[in-house]
Amino acid sequence: MSNPSPLPPQAILSPCVGICRLDARGYCEGCFRTGDEIARWRSMSDLERSHFMDVVLPAREPA
């Protein structure tokens, strides 16, 4: 019996939820990214995207 080949790593998807308005702080009301972060998202490395998804964006969510 042969081992199945491992699945390729999944690309980190965008945190966009379709609510695309910047608040007074400059954060998107839907995904909590800045306009610059939204513009750069496609060119970010997976490591940078992962950091945003796991650390930066959760810290920006309202309490």
Side-chain angles (χ1 to χ4, degrees), residues 1-7:
M1 191 179 251
S2 65
N3 286 337
S5 58
L7 296 174

Side-chain angles (χ1 to χ4, degrees), residues 16-36:
C16 180
V17 295
I19 303 171
C20 304
R21 291 184 302 267
L22 297 181
D23 65 15
R25 300 174 301 162
Y27 298 145
C28 175
E29 292 178 6
C31 67
F32 308 109
R33 294 178 293 172
T34 65
D36 180 58

Side-chain angles (χ1 to χ4, degrees), residues 23-54:
D23 65 15
R25 300 174 301 162
Y27 298 145
C28 175
E29 292 178 6
C31 67
F32 308 109
R33 294 178 293 172
T34 65
D36 180 58
E37 291 163 354
I38 292 167
R40 291 187 312 113
W41 189 259
R42 291 179 67 165
S43 64
M44 287 182 183
S45 69
D46 283 347
L47 184 61
E48 190 174 12
R49 287 182 188 179
S50 182
H51 175 73
F52 267 85
M53 296 292 284
D54 297 339

